[in-house]
Each structure stands twice: as structure tokens, then as C-alpha cells.
Amino acid sequence: MLKRINVIMLMLALLTAGFAQAAPANPAARHYDNEEKEKPMDVKEIIFEHLGDGYGWEVPFSHVYRMPLPVIVRAQDGQWFSFSSGDLTEVIVVKDEETGKEKKELIPVVKTCERNGKQYQFVIAHTSKHKDKVVEIEPLTAQEQAEIDKQLADKRAGSDVDEGMPVIDGYVCVEDASVKENGHLHDKGTYYKEYRPLDISITKNVLALFISALLVTAMVMGLVRYYKRCGLRAPRKGMGFFEMLVSFVYYDNLKPVLGDKAAKFAPYLLTAFFFILTMNLLGLIVVFPGGANLTGNIAITLVLALCTFVITNVLGTKHYWKEIFWPDVPIWLKCPLPIMQVIEIFGIFTKPAALCVRLFANMMGGHMIVITLTLLIFIFAGFGAALAGGTAVVSVLFSVFMLALDVLVSFIQAYVFTLLSALFIAMGQAKEEHGKELDKEDELLRKEAAEIDHMEGREVGSI
């Protein structure tokens, strides 16, 4: 069973890695304008920047430097390119004109690749409908540039507020980071025609998925090697805790729900439990290999829910499908209007949807609360030392409490997902068993009735 868990573990990691590419990525860089004064803190942007995906992994305790990850994209003409995500960003020093202080900022740059005498350019989009994704760019023709200038003039004429370079469908605005005067960065945006390439890059979430899969595989293989070496002697310490969790999930939850079918579905359900638990706990760690908000990514929870959906319905018995398309209800509820059939079919899809949203919302909410509590320190920093100090103490205490609570929630959510999956799978299997029991009961009743009739007939004959 434990070996089958490893196989399922790798399959889940590959599936979720593919779907994780569809989730929004974090901004790989922030964009600043030296001509404007310091902007107020954008709490929403900061929260989603920390919770989102990215083409690089943040270096611990540094917001500027990132561990580069491989970017793998397919250009518009079918050519494949692979390069480091570090080639798409650059660290520069920006000087504040008023205070004279200098600070480092991360800005996007254009990556140019050459192949067969042709140049290909890629950039992480910022002012685009493909925000924070790698896009391929091409220079505009004179006619396209004239059209862009006309649209910009119309947008600026209809607004009294200068909101920077607007988003224009089909085009991306790239800020010219090479223009520097006296150490300052001037935002001079240039529009390019954009194309969203096929992107199979190893982003932060994808790498975190593989790390989670390897950790679970290492724990499972360690337990397998222990039992091969020591027989049925109970393990100790960390391996004993892992074996205790396996026994708890299997004997106290799967066995009562699935009965004699527990061994058949245990490899998937145990895999789901430990995979979700590992991702939840890694998400609470600030430094590498933690920090990726995996179960707070709805694409990942969707894949896990789809696995339960497929197992439940593909392996469902004929009695399960019979109860969906012809349930045991009064005839007027299912014919001529298929009222119950519509409700049952709708229920097929609401079950995995509930699994997906429940896990996603609970884990995302926990991370958002911790980040919001931390940001309160900076929000109240400008209201005086006394208020700022009191807020800092309260925020830190509540943040520590919420992190401790999130550890408990990580176990609970993994347990709830596994238990509900087992219940849904059992619904697809129990119909057949229930039908067999009814058939046996009918057969026994018929035998008893025949024996009673035979005995009554003998009694009548004797009279």
C-alpha cells in the first residue's frame, strides 16, 4: 500500500504542477516613478503579492533578491526557449530626491534570444491583460503606433487623473529601465504587440509541489524500509508519529467508512492526506523551502478535488448510476419532467466543488489574516510612537496565535478533505452492497414464505 502511495504521490504532483501554471503569478518586479511622492501603502497588493505565484523564489528576509528558476516558453512560431528567470529582472539603486536616501528596487527587463538569425524578446508583463506573466513582444508598425497614440489620447482626455500607462488589449507597455539620470529611474513606457506563449516554466508553486511530493515520498519509503528491516516492531520517534497518523487515518476513518473496500482506495486517500498536510505546513514556513501558498491556490485544490471526482464516478457501480438517472422516488418526480435526475447530476459536481473551495478558502483565509495582522504595524507607524508600539505588540501576539492555530487547521483541513473524499467514494460503492443485501433479504423472505405456504398446505391436507 505504501509503495502505491508513492506512485500516486508523483502523479498528483505532476497534475497539480500543470494546473498551477494557470494561476496568477506574483509581480516579479515593482514599478516606481521618481517624479511622484511616496505612495500610500497598498495593502491589497502586498497581500496578494505574498500569496501569489512567481517566476523566482524570494531570498529569505530580502524582498529584492530572488532565487532564479527556469523559464520554459514556446514562442509564436513554435520555437522553444529556456532561460533563467533572473534574466527577466534587474536590481537597480533608486535615489529619493527629497531625502537623498538610496534603496534597491527590482525592475523588469526584456530578455532577447536569437535563433536562426531571428530575435525573440520576452518580458514579464505589468501593464497588460496578462499581468505578471511572461509574454513575447514585437515592435509596433507605424500604423499600430498611430492607433496606440490615438487610444492613449482618448483615454487621457476622458480622465482628469493621471493613472500612468493604461492597459490596451493586445499590447503590453514596457517601461524603459535603461533610461537613468543621476541614479534615478524614469518611467518611459513603450508599447509592444504581445503574444502569450505556451508557458511550462518551473514557477515557485511548481517547485514547491515537487518538494512536497519528495518529502512525502521520503517519509513513506522510510517507513517501508523500516518494516522491511525490523518486521512488525513499532517504530519510534518521528517515524513512529508518521506510522501513528497512517493508522489513525486508515483504521479510524477509512475502514469504518469504506469497509472491505478500504484497502482498494487507501493508497489514494492516504496520499491526499499527507500531500495536503505537507503543503499546508510548508506554507507556514517563511524561509525556503517554505513560503509557497500551495493549498491557497485554487488551481491546486481543484486538481485534488477532480481526482476524487474521477475516482468516485469512474469506479461507481451500476447501482450508483441507477440512483442518479432513475432514483427510487415517486414516478412524478422523475417522469415526464426529470426533476430528480437534474438534482442528482447537479450533486455530482457540487461535491468536488465543495472539496475544492473549502480547502482553498480556509488556507487562503488563514494566510491573509496573518499578513494583515503584520501589516497593521506599518499602517499605524505614522500615528505616533505610542500607538505604533502598542499595535506592534498586539499584532505580533495575534500573529503568533494565528500561526499556531494554522498548524492545527493544517491537520484539520487535510483530515476533512480525506474523510469527505472517502464518504463520496463510499457513496459510489455502497449502492452495490446495499443492493446485494436487499437481494439477499428478498431471497430469504421468499424462502420463508414458500416454507410457510408448504407447511400451511400440509396442514390443510391433513385436515
Side-chain angles (χ1 to χ4, degrees):
M1 182 187 298
L2 293 176
K3 290 184 178 179
R4 291 167 67 186
I5 291 177
N6 285 332
V7 176
I8 299 175
M9 182 76 261
L10 295 176
M11 293 175 62
L12 281 176
L14 291 173
L15 281 172
T16 50
F19 274 76
Q21 286 290 334
N26 255 359
R30 289 187 177 184
H31 302 262
Y32 296 87
D33 187 353
N34 71 301
E35 297 178 356
E36 61 184 356
K37 297 182 179 180
E38 186 177 356
K39 295 180 179 179
M41 179 182 295
D42 191 340
V43 177
K44 178 181 175 181
E45 180 182 356
I46 294 175
I47 290 175
F48 285 100
E49 181 179 355
H50 282 81
L51 296 180
D53 198 1
Y55 288 98
W57 202 307
E58 295 86 352
V59 174
F61 311 109
S62 173
H63 189 70
V64 176
Y65 296 101
R66 284 170 168 76
M67 298 168 52
L69 298 174
V71 176
I72 307 171
V73 292
R74 182 178 182 271
Q76 190 171 5
D77 61 358
Q79 295 289 335
W80 284 94
F81 294 91
S82 177
F83 48 86
S84 171
S85 62
D87 296 337
L88 295 170
T89 58
E90 177 186 358
V91 177
I92 66 168
V93 177
V94 179
K95 185 176 181 180
D96 192 316
E97 294 181 349
E98 295 183 357
T99 63
K101 294 181 179 180
E102 294 183 348
K103 60 179 180 179
K104 295 180 179 180
E105 304 294 354
L106 190 67
I107 62 171
V109 294
V110 177
K111 169 65 177 177
T112 302
C113 303
E114 292 189 8
R115 183 169 299 175
N116 300 327
K118 181 180 177 181
Q119 283 193 344
Y120 300 82
Q121 292 184 310
F122 302 93
V123 69
I124 297 179
H126 178 72
T127 307
S128 165
K129 70 174 184 178
H130 301 297
K131 182 176 171 59
D132 306 324
K133 290 292 186 180
V134 173
V135 296
E136 183 183 0
I137 59 175
E138 296 179 1
L140 302 180
T141 63
Q143 181 178 359
E144 291 170 339
Q145 185 63 57
E147 180 64 26
I148 290 293
D149 293 338
K150 182 178 181 302
Q151 292 188 40
L152 288 176
D154 294 339
K155 288 179 179 292
R156 287 169 178 167
S159 176
D160 297 332
V161 181
D162 185 8
E163 299 180 350
M165 307 301 286
V167 175
I168 300 178
D169 191 22
Y171 299 91
V172 58
C173 179
V174 179
E175 296 176 354
D176 189 358
S178 63
V179 180
K180 302 177 184 178
E181 295 179 6
N182 300 323
H184 305 305
L185 173 64
H186 287 257
D187 298 330
K188 295 186 177 180
T190 303
Y191 280 92
Y192 293 85
K193 186 187 299 182
E194 72 171 354
Y195 168 75
R196 177 76 172 98
L198 177 62
D199 190 351
I200 57 171
S201 304
I202 307 298
T203 62
K204 182 174 73 171
N205 279 354
V206 174
L207 180 59
L209 281 169
F210 290 138
I211 292 174
S212 300
L214 289 175
L215 287 176
V216 175
T217 302
M219 289 188 293
V220 171
M221 293 306 298
L223 191 59
V224 170
R225 287 194 299 268
Y226 176 85
Y227 280 120
K228 284 184 177 180
R229 186 175 65 253
C230 303
L232 297 178
R233 190 175 64 185
R236 297 290 186 269
K237 299 181 180 180
M239 198 59 65
F241 179 73
F242 180 68
E243 195 271 344
M244 180 195 71
L245 287 178
V246 174
S247 299
F248 166 72
V249 174
Y250 182 74
Y251 291 105
D252 294 345
N253 295 277
L254 304 186
K255 196 73 174 175
V257 173
L258 291 167
D260 58 353
K261 297 289 185 69
K264 178 180 180 181
F265 298 101
Y268 163 69
L269 294 171
L270 286 170
T271 299
F273 175 80
F274 287 105
F275 191 35
I276 294 172
L277 178 60
T278 303
M279 290 190 294
N280 289 346
L281 295 178
L282 282 179
L284 301 178
I285 302 174
V286 178
V287 298
F288 181 85
N293 182 34
L294 293 178
T295 45
N297 186 324
I298 198 168
I300 293 173
T301 60
L302 175 63
V303 172
L304 294 172
L306 284 176
C307 292
T308 299
F309 171 79
V310 171
I311 292 174
T312 301
N313 293 282
V314 171
L315 300 181
T317 63
K318 62 180 181 181
H319 297 275
Y320 168 74
W321 288 107
K322 182 258 180 187
E323 288 298 319
I324 292 175
F325 292 104
W326 198 256
D328 291 330
V329 294
I331 191 68
W332 60 271
L333 287 175
K334 53 187 177 182
C335 183
L337 294 177
I339 300 174
M340 290 303 301
Q341 288 91 328
V342 171
I343 295 175
E344 292 292 340
I345 293 174
F346 184 72
I348 293 177
F349 298 98
T350 55
K351 293 183 181 70
L355 284 177
C356 170
V357 175
R358 177 183 287 105
L359 180 59
F360 160 74
N362 280 280
M363 299 313 300
M364 172 68 84
H367 287 283
M368 290 182 68
I369 290 174
V370 173
I371 296 174
T372 304
L373 289 172
T374 305
L375 289 176
L376 288 177
I377 301 173
F378 303 96
I379 294 174
F380 286 94
F383 291 88
L387 182 58
T391 304
V393 173
V394 174
S395 296
V396 170
L397 291 177
F398 273 99
S399 296
V400 172
F401 171 75
M402 285 304 303
L403 284 173
L405 185 62
D406 278 343
V407 174
L408 176 62
V409 171
S410 298
F411 281 89
I412 293 175
Q413 290 305 315
Y415 169 79
V416 169
F417 185 96
T418 305
L419 181 59
L420 289 178
S421 295
L423 289 172
F424 296 154
I425 293 173
M427 291 174 65
Q429 303 296 314
K431 300 296 183 180
E432 181 180 14
E433 299 298 325
H434 183 61
K436 289 181 178 179
E437 292 177 0
L438 291 178
D439 292 341
K440 291 180 180 179
E441 292 178 1
D442 291 342
E443 185 177 355
L444 290 174
L445 290 174
R446 284 194 296 269
K447 288 182 178 180
E448 292 178 0
E451 291 178 359
I452 293 173
D453 291 341
H454 180 66
M455 293 177 62
E456 290 179 349
R458 292 174 59 183
E459 292 177 357
V460 171
S462 63
I463 293 175

